Amino acid sequence: MKTSKKINLIIGPLLLVLCIAALPGSVFATFQSRAAIGTVAWMAYWWVTGPVDYAVTAFLPIAVNALLQITDMKEVISNYASETILLLLGASILTVSWQKSGLDRRIASVFLKMLGSNLRQQLVFWFILSTLLSSVLPNAVVCATVTPIAVSMLTYIGEGDIKNSKVGSKLLLTIAYAAGVGGLASPLGGAMNLVTVDYIQQLTGEEYMYTSWVIRFLPIMIVLVVSNIIFMLRDVKKTDRIGDVEGFFKNEYSQMPPMSLEEKASLVLFLIATILSFSRQLYQSVLPGLKPAYAFIICAILSFLIADKEGKRLMVWKSVQTDIIWELIYIFAGGLAAGTLINGSGAAENIGDWVATMNLNGGFVTVLVIVTLTLLLSDVTSNTATAAVAMPIVISIIQGIGEDPIPFVYIASIGVNLSYMLPTSIRAIPVGYGMEPKYMFKEGWKLTIIVIALMTILSYILLNYWPAFSTV
């Protein structure tokens, strides 16, 4: 083992010890809260430096909690078999059927024929697509369904080794960022927004109209979309391409035989699971138990029944299990478990209480603090958990200084939805497909600073110069 890896191995647990010993007791009053912060610091360091496999790091919450009893172990373990994990497992199995049937090659050629091989055009297309979908759908569903389609295209053009592919890493990171940005566009973008809507309704005593959200966040969305796209394109030349010339892909597509029965079955099952996930509100009252995760699992089970004309099964578990991206599933679960430690230990509430002592007066600094803390907290815990913790704190602080809390709830929603640096939440998905967390962190901290600056300035302007921003 290299000396650098040995050093990084040691630094990880030392960060835990350092946090327990050095974090101020005036802020983090309990041993458990300091240990939770230390565990997240350990995980973040190991994910970025990579001294062990990323999936191994994802199990640290279980190991540390077993030794230090930070919070209820059942709550920690449940993250490793949550609905989102089942959704990712189901989606992974279905995309394996694409590989077995050759559907991935067909999908790739269709997208390359349609969009061309210009890298800038590709990045903008995938960003806009993911943003639009996640504006009305849970971002985890969007990221879990769009990413494997992109990976199929990348594999076809020889960029499937995401770890060593700058193009592949940038494209998958673009999708993950876009899924997060799109969630802010409407209350339907995720459970974190519904938590916010619930608090707004409690404040006003009236039903909140979703159109109001869309209107008030429209200028914010425009700035976010433009700034994120510019950031992702900043080091991409106009002449940069993915794969070979466009004529090759058109010719390749024209020479493809008609879709086989196996390809059609694989595509139909994925579409069924996706459509059921996207249209749940239409059948929820009839089939309340058929959540997106279970729709994907059911279709994954059905994929094992696909057979060719000779009756040979397309999918056999012994071979399928070697193609499932287990690392993706465990990294995602580890991020959820880290969030459970933060919330279950009381560390998140400690941070909120500390903010309450800062004597904020509702001005520019107040906006900066709210945007920064909610965005950073979303990086180490789930967006929904951040909303649940941050919203009541923001409301109590603003009401305490005699200001209207409504616009500050909107401002907090920005940070609740956005996060860029660590492979937690949906950002675990590109890492699971091979992207290195240190690449995500290297890009993410830069974009985090840019977004905090832009959103703080824009929010302050809206707060002071757009009266509608302070209404529902």
Side-chain angles (χ1 to χ4, degrees):
M1 182 183 294
K2 293 182 179 179
T3 303
S4 60
K5 280 197 171 185
K6 291 180 180 178
I7 293 172
N8 289 330
L9 276 173
I10 296 170
I11 290 176
L14 282 179
L15 286 173
L16 169 62
V17 175
L18 182 63
C19 287
I20 292 174
L23 284 176
S26 58
V27 178
F28 301 100
T30 66
F31 168 84
Q32 286 80 6
S33 62
R34 296 194 296 275
I37 297 292
T39 304
V40 171
W42 181 355
M43 294 176 71
Y45 186 82
W46 271 13
W47 267 332
V48 171
T49 59
V52 298
D53 292 332
Y54 305 135
V56 174
T57 300
F59 288 107
L60 282 177
I62 296 177
V64 175
N65 195 55
L67 294 171
L68 304 183
Q69 294 183 311
I70 297 171
T71 190
D72 183 1
M73 183 63 91
K74 290 182 180 178
E75 296 295 322
V76 175
I77 292 177
S78 66
N79 291 291
Y80 295 83
S82 66
E83 288 182 3
T84 306
I85 297 303
L86 293 176
L87 185 152
L88 293 173
L89 176 60
S92 293
I93 292 173
L94 287 174
T95 51
V96 169
S97 72
W98 296 3
Q99 301 169 27
K100 301 291 185 183
S101 65
L103 178 63
D104 57 344
R105 180 168 169 265
R106 187 178 299 275
I107 289 174
S109 62
V110 167
F111 273 96
L112 288 164
K113 174 178 174 288
M114 179 177 67
L115 296 173
S117 57
N118 184 276
L119 180 55
R120 285 191 165 201
Q121 291 178 6
Q122 287 280 347
L123 291 172
V124 172
F125 168 79
W126 291 103
F127 190 96
I128 298 299
L129 174 66
S130 302
T131 298
L132 291 175
L133 289 175
S134 60
S135 67
V136 293
L137 303 165
N139 52 22
V141 175
V142 173
C143 202
T145 53
V146 174
T147 300
I149 298 174
V151 171
S152 295
M153 180 189 72
L154 291 166
T155 301
Y156 178 54
I157 62 175
E159 298 285 352
D161 183 8
I162 306 299
K163 179 179 179 180
N164 298 307
S165 168
K166 181 181 178 181
V167 169
S169 293
K170 182 175 283 290
L171 182 55
L172 295 199
L173 194 59
T174 297
I175 293 171
Y177 285 173
V181 168
L184 184 61
S186 82
L188 299 176
M192 61 280 183
N193 294 340
L194 298 179
V195 170
T196 302
V197 167
D198 185 59
Y199 277 109
I200 292 175
Q201 291 178 157
Q202 290 179 33
L203 286 169
T204 63
E206 300 174 359
E207 181 182 358
Y208 185 78
M209 296 294 104
Y210 286 8
T211 51
S212 296
W213 181 293
V214 175
I215 292 170
R216 281 150 186 79
F217 279 99
L218 183 58
I220 293 170
M221 285 301 302
I222 292 172
V223 172
L224 277 174
V225 169
V226 172
S227 61
N228 275 248
I229 288 177
I230 290 175
F231 180 82
M232 296 307 293
L233 296 181
R234 74 192 189 284
D235 56 351
V236 179
K237 298 176 183 177
K238 292 182 179 179
T239 55
D240 285 352
R241 314 188 84 75
I242 58 174
D244 211 330
V245 293
E246 294 164 28
F248 170 81
F249 297 115
K250 291 179 180 178
N251 182 60
E252 185 79 4
Y253 179 76
S254 65
Q255 293 182 1
M256 281 188 170
M259 285 185 74
S260 66
L261 178 63
E262 300 95 307
E263 284 181 273
K264 291 177 180 177
S266 298
L267 179 60
V268 167
L269 286 175
F270 188 86
L271 289 176
I272 289 173
T274 302
I275 292 170
L276 287 174
S277 300
F278 289 2
S279 60
R280 174 161 166 72
Q281 64 272 22
L282 300 178
Y283 64 84
Q284 187 173 6
S285 59
V286 181
L287 295 170
L290 190 59
K291 297 180 180 180
Y294 310 137
F296 271 91
I297 286 294
I298 290 171
C299 289
I301 293 171
L302 293 175
S303 70
F304 286 90
L305 305 182
I306 300 173
D308 60 19
K309 294 179 180 179
E310 286 73 37
K312 184 178 179 181
R313 290 279 171 82
L314 175 70
M315 303 272 283
V316 180
W317 181 256
K318 189 173 182 179
S319 61
V320 169
Q321 66 178 342
T322 61
D323 293 322
I324 294 174
I325 307 175
W326 297 106
E327 191 170 46
L328 156 65
I329 295 169
Y330 296 135
I331 293 170
F332 199 107
L336 295 176
T340 297
L341 292 183
I342 293 291
N343 290 289
S345 67
E349 292 181 11
N350 291 158
I351 294 172
D353 293 339
W354 172 66
V355 172
T357 66
M358 296 176 66
N359 297 319
L360 302 174
N361 61 8
F364 184 84
V365 174
T366 303
V367 175
L368 174 61
V369 169
I370 290 174
V371 171
T372 302
L373 285 182
T374 50
L375 196 151
L376 294 179
L377 193 57
S378 293
D379 239 318
V380 297
T381 184
S382 74
N383 304 91
T384 305
T386 301
V389 170
M391 289 307 168
I393 294 171
V394 169
I395 291 170
S396 63
I397 290 173
I398 302 305
Q399 285 181 330
I401 61 177
E403 296 286 341
D404 178 10
I406 294 297
F408 293 94
V409 168
Y410 288 144
I411 292 168
S413 296
I414 299 171
V416 163
N417 275 270
L418 303 177
S419 42
Y420 296 99
M421 292 187 291
L422 297 178
T424 52
S425 189
I426 60 172
R427 293 170 305 286
I429 294 174
V431 172
Y433 279 95
M435 188 181 73
E436 291 192 315
K438 64 182 178 182
Y439 172 76
M440 175 181 289
F441 184 79
K442 184 181 75 171
E443 295 289 283
W445 75 262
K446 301 171 190 173
L447 189 52
T448 295
I449 293 174
I450 293 170
V451 167
I452 287 174
L454 287 174
M455 290 299 100
T456 299
I457 295 169
L458 179 58
S459 297
Y460 184 72
I461 292 172
L462 295 175
L463 177 65
N464 288 278
Y465 300 103
W466 189 28
F469 194 68
S470 298
T471 67
V472 294

